[in-house]
Structure formats: structure tokens, C-alpha cells
Amino acid sequence: MKRPAHAVSQPATLAEIARAAGVSAPTVSKVLNGRADVAPATRTRVEELLRRHGYRRRRAEASRSPLIDLVFHELESAWALEVIRGVENVARGEGLSVVLSESAGRPTPGRTWADQVAARRPHGVVLVLSGLGESHRALLTSRSIPFVVMDPAGDPGDDVPSVGATNWQGGLAATRHLVYLGHRRIGVISGPLQMMCSRARLDGYRAALETAGLPVDPSLIRAGDFHHEAGHRAGLELLRLPNRPSAVFAGNDLQALGLYEAARELGLRIPEDLSVVGFDDLPVARWAGPPLTTVRQPLTEMAEAAARLVLDLGRGERPPTVTQVEVATSLVVRSSCCRWDAENFAEAGGV
């Protein structure tokens, strides 16, 4: 594609993309709009040229549907309901609807989803515990569809708008609380170690122990997957140790409830025989028996912040330098922890 020297810094036009791809301008328009009646090889060639030349559809061209796309890594727990509520709160106030998608556990949504988003032309896309590959980012950028990643699984990069929580501080606060109560053998059930939030919570746990002068015992560390079953499985492993922990920090509330079940199966009482701290502060944490001490991650507020951010970006109201948002966590003390009693703990099978 040859362009006048004085225009080198200008983005390519649709007609220039069409000439470079050897297709008509209407064919490029079909690709931009996610139409299915384009040969796969042609679509790939056009998308590559759009990405290479940084094509971005002018706002006047980008007529938007009254939608926000909300994409989940997995859509199957009370955690997701809190996020949906937050995005719905913002969408309702803006006269918009929410479209839900799931990437079925994949780190990024599939190509079919990308084509559907291009065809829908929403006001913006919010991705939860997921991410975008370079091709997906280029596709959304070329259509002038803004996007925000909430609680990113990996490092989204400085140029990707995101909303997260103070996960390291939360892990630190949870473990410090147990140390303050006198516990010295404190186990942890983390989330998936490939997720940034899991690693940050685990690092906070380690920091709290090291600051208190306590050893970090690898035998007391288990990796879960943020589901109830993982908390149950890892809980049985920890509680069956000859030198079992007197307290456990579970990486989220669902794993904490799985740990509750493991303790019941082994005849252990919470908090008399085992203290437990969770993470998230889902509504079910208040209903557990006993009510669960946990780190509050304000999921609804985080989702509201992500939805507002993506709408602000679409309107051009948010400076590019203010697109990394971190929301504070806080410890919520309930009834699942008590002071460590060495004598009673020994009778219950501890040290």
C-alpha cells in the first residue's frame, strides 16, 4: 500500500485496506461488521491488514447497539451473580441491556464470539477473569469497541484498561488475623496458580507469616481452583496431616465452604478445632454455620466500576492514563475463627 509521504502517520482508510487485500470495500465492511458471508481466507487477510495498519472505525461510522457485552471465564457460581448485578446496575441507568457470554474455561474467548461482538456493535465489552489475545484486541479496536478486563487472570499490560482488587493486601490481612489469634500452623488453599489474583493472595499469606517470624511450610500449601470441591479435597488433605494446621486461609469463600464440609466429615468443630478465613464475602458467607470470617472483595462495586469505565472510554470521557483501577479489600470478622488453645488443639489431634 503506497501512500504520500505527508500521510504516512495517518491511519489507512477502508478503501486502501480493500485495495491492499484485493477485495472490494463492501467486503471489508462485511468483515468489520462480523458478517458470515466472507470466505475464511479473505477474512483472515483483511483482519491482518486492519491490525497492521491500525485501522480504527470513525465514531460517526460506529453506530452502536444499546448493549454491554459481559464475558466470563466461567459462569457458574454466586461470584458471577455479584458481577452481573454490578454491570446490570450501570447498564439499567444508561438504558442499556447486558449480553452474557462464557469462554468455557479458556483464557480468551473464541473466534466465534469475536465475530458476534463485531456484528452486535455493543457500547463496550467487560471481560471477567479472562483476557484478550492480540487478534481480539485488534478486532475490537478497529471497530472502535472499547473493552475493560475485570480481575484479569494474567498480566493485561499497561495499555489494557482493567479493574482489580488489592489481592495481596487481602491475603496479608487474612493471615495476620489468624496470627493475631495465636495460630502458628496456618494452612492455605489458593486458587489456580496461573491466575494473578491467586498468586497475589498466596504472596500476601507468605508475607504475613514471614513478618511474624513464622516459617512458610510447603506441606501446608495447597492449590485449588476456586470451586467448592477443591476446598473439600484440599481440606481433607490438610486436616489428615499428622501435624495438621489449626487454621486455614481459603483462597475464596466457595473453597472455605468445601473446607467446612471436610472438617465436619473428620469430626472437627469450627472454630473450636479449626479456624477458617475465606475471600470474597459472598452472601453465603453470612449464612454459613458458623458465619464465615472473610476478606471482602467488593465484586458488585468492581463490576460497576468496570462498566462505567468502558462506557467512559466509548464516549472519550476517560483519559488514557486513568484506566487501571484497583479497589480496596477489607477483613470482615465473623464467627469462624477463635483464639488458639494449645491444650484443646492437642486433644483434637494437632501439635
Side-chain angles (χ1 to χ4, degrees), residues 20 36 40 48 84 115 148 154 159 172 174 179 192 210 212 214 223 237 250 256 265 293 324 336:
E48 172 58 24
I84 294 170
D115 290 339
V148 171
D159 59 337
L172 182 79
V179 171
E210 291 168 353
L214 298 174
E237 292 177 7
E265 288 180 13
T293 293
Q324 308 286 324
S336 63

Side-chain angles (χ1 to χ4, degrees), residues 64-304:
R64 293 174 178 154
S65 301
L67 303 171
I68 296 177
D69 260 70
L70 178 56
V71 187
F72 283 91
H73 173 260
E74 289 182 329
L75 183 57
E76 59 175 39
S77 72
W79 191 95
L81 292 177
E82 296 299 301
V83 175
I84 294 170
R85 181 176 293 115
V87 175
E88 282 277 10
N89 288 345
V90 174
R92 190 182 311 114
E94 297 286 341
L96 304 175
S97 299
V98 178
V99 176
L100 294 179
S101 304
E102 183 190 47
S103 59
R106 296 189 301 267
T108 60
R111 175 71 212 200
T112 300
W113 169 83
D115 290 339
Q116 291 170 346
V117 170
R120 280 195 292 268
R121 300 191 303 280
H123 274 60
V125 176
V126 176
L127 300 110
V128 184
L129 273 181
S130 189
L132 285 174
E134 185 177 341
S135 62
H136 289 83
R137 289 174 58 181
L139 182 146
L140 295 178
T141 299
S142 67
R143 277 77 170 174
S144 292
I145 299 174
F147 57 89
V148 171
V149 180
M150 177 182 158
D151 208 5
D155 182 3
D158 294 337
D159 59 337
V160 175
S162 64
V163 175
T166 54
N167 288 292
W168 183 88
Q169 186 63 42
L172 182 79
T175 311
R176 271 185 175 170
H177 179 64
L178 295 170
V179 171
Y180 170 77
L181 291 174
H183 295 277
R184 294 298 177 262
R185 283 186 62 75
I186 301 171
V188 63
I189 305 172
S190 78
L193 295 182
Q194 70 271 22
M195 287 188 176
M196 242 183 9
C197 61
S198 301
R199 297 181 69 88
R201 294 171 198 177
L202 183 57
D203 287 345
Y205 158 86
R206 290 191 175 106
L209 293 179
E210 291 168 353
T211 302
L214 298 174
V216 178
D217 185 346
S219 72
L220 298 182
I221 298 174
R222 295 292 186 280
D225 60 10
F226 285 151
H227 292 94
H228 177 279
E229 294 79 9
H232 176 253
R233 181 178 61 253
L236 288 175
E237 292 177 7
L238 288 171
L239 300 180
R240 283 171 172 161
L241 289 173
N243 190 8
R244 72 169 178 85
S246 63
V248 176
F249 165 42
N252 73 337
D253 291 348
L254 295 181
Q255 291 185 154
L257 296 180
L259 176 61
Y260 268 42
E261 183 180 349
R264 283 195 297 271
E265 288 180 13
L266 297 177
L268 300 177
R269 300 165 300 165
I270 298 172
E272 293 86 354
D273 303 323
L274 177 70
S275 289
V276 179
V277 180
F279 200 109
D280 283 335
D281 195 26
L282 298 176
V284 70
R286 300 191 295 273
W287 310 330
L292 177 65
T293 293
T294 187
V295 175
R296 183 171 187 268
Q297 179 176 215
L299 293 169
T300 299
E301 292 90 334
M302 289 168 63
E304 289 174 346

